[in-house]
Amino acid sequence: MFEFPKDFLWGAATSSHQVEGNNINSDWWDWEQNGKVKERSGKACDHWNRFREDFSLAKSLHHNAHRFSLEWSRIEPEEGQFNEEALSHYREVIEALKLNRLEPIVTLHHFTLPLWLAKQGGWLSHKTPNLFARYVRKAVETLGEGVRYWITLNEPVAYVFKSYFMGEWPPAERSYEKTLQALGHLLKGHVLAYDAVKEVNQRLKRSPAQVGIAKHVLIFTPCSDRSWKDRISVWIRNLMFNHLFIRALIRGRIFYPGLFKIQLPKARTLDFIGMNYYTRDFVHNEGFRIPALFGDICTLKHHRQVGRRNFLSWEIYPQGLYRLIKEFSQYKLPLLVTENGVCTDHDEERFEFIESHLGELAKAIQEGAPVFGYLYWSLLDNYEWAEGFSPRFGLIEVDYETQERKIRPSAKRFAQICERGTRP
Ligand code: BGC
């Protein structure tokens, strides 16, 4: 039996576009209306209207924390015009969390942008970091009382990779230069947002809040253990995808492969690191130029034997959580598991997933890793971006026709762990 630390945060996460519904002023809504994805988000989970019910379900499951995101395109639907209705909605959201004794963990950017900003170039524009900081300042001034944890950016590296390198998400660019340009602006956006949170809280004489990012982290393994080329690609991918963004924020500057130097206004702008962990990828070297050097994913192509997969064919690899936490302990910052979850049509697999990952987490904590919470992805079934509504990640099942919620058995078993703070 392992006892998690006393004030450990237990809960689940969501993001605005994936659950709220009718998020009409965002670039993702526009993308959907233009037929770029198989399903549109539409009403999603109607969480905009049902957040109270959803939070009381989370409370009944013994969660003591909840991660959600503010939707920038609702708060600032037109450039420089802040929408009071949206702000007061989010004030109610935060109050409802507190009433249910759920610690709010607030994300400021989770993949979506206001459409007006996307039209001006989104993260490719050098103006965006300042515009982001202006929105953050407004959000923190209006909503920040009693919020102890802010996450500026969700998965910035995965986001630029999908949006500017793979061309799969808006704005569907496919360029390494643009990817690095967007990364540079996201880094700067984080630094300015970090300062904005600190400055506002100080000015309004509030207790200081902790500011971090939610970093997508993956295990990379060579397709062929015997191939030194594959091993080089694994090393470089691990650096690019898992570490460079964090190191840039710690050091205040970074060289990305291709010798693209990014200088930030200051160093040490992370109070904690959020880790979103799902799977491992097998990597095959494709050459020594960029981007071939980063390699390609070989799981399907080379029929490499892997463990069980989720509904989206991602391998379930609990040991990866332990390995990454150990690896990230090098940064000597508190760590929070901001996402970890499985999409499956077989709910018994969900609890197996949670239990096995918590086992790995417990092992890392026992060995001294500074982890202060675990947030399952996701509280509800929701809109999984380009994959639509079919992947079911929720602790709570959502019937999209009726919007009826049903607590899954796995959620009840996870609730026992949250209540006791122990893992058998
Ligand atoms: C993202 C979520 C997404 C989840 C499952 C994370 O990469 O932050 O928005 O739904 O993974 O794919």
Side-chain angles (χ1 to χ4, degrees), residues 68 70 94 104-108 135-136 139-153 190 193-194 197-198 201 206 208-214 271-272:
F68 73 103
L70 301 177
I94 292 171
I105 298 163
V106 188
T107 310
L108 291 150
Y135 142 72
V136 170
V140 177
E141 274 168 7
T142 324
L143 307 167
E145 185 64 55
V147 174
R148 298 199 296 169
Y149 299 100
W150 292 96
I151 290 175
T152 56
L153 305 171
H190 166 86
Y194 179 93
V197 177
K198 301 285 167 169
N201 282 342
R206 295 178 181 153
Q210 306 294 302
V211 183
I213 61 167
D271 300 327
F272 68 93

Side-chain angles (χ1 to χ4, degrees), residues 142-200:
T142 324
L143 307 167
E145 185 64 55
V147 174
R148 298 199 296 169
Y149 299 100
W150 292 96
I151 290 175
T152 56
L153 305 171
N154 181 65
E155 302 190 349
V157 183
Y159 169 67
V160 294
F161 189 69
K162 293 255 191 201
S163 307
Y164 300 94
F165 190 74
M166 302 290 285
E168 290 174 2
W169 289 0
E173 297 282 359
R174 284 166 183 264
S175 142
Y176 185 58
E177 283 68 37
K178 287 186 178 165
T179 303
L180 292 186
Q181 199 178 326
L183 263 182
H185 292 148
L186 281 156
L187 282 163
K188 187 167 175 211
H190 166 86
V191 175
L192 299 181
Y194 179 93
D195 279 350
V197 177
K198 301 285 167 169
E199 183 273 312
V200 170

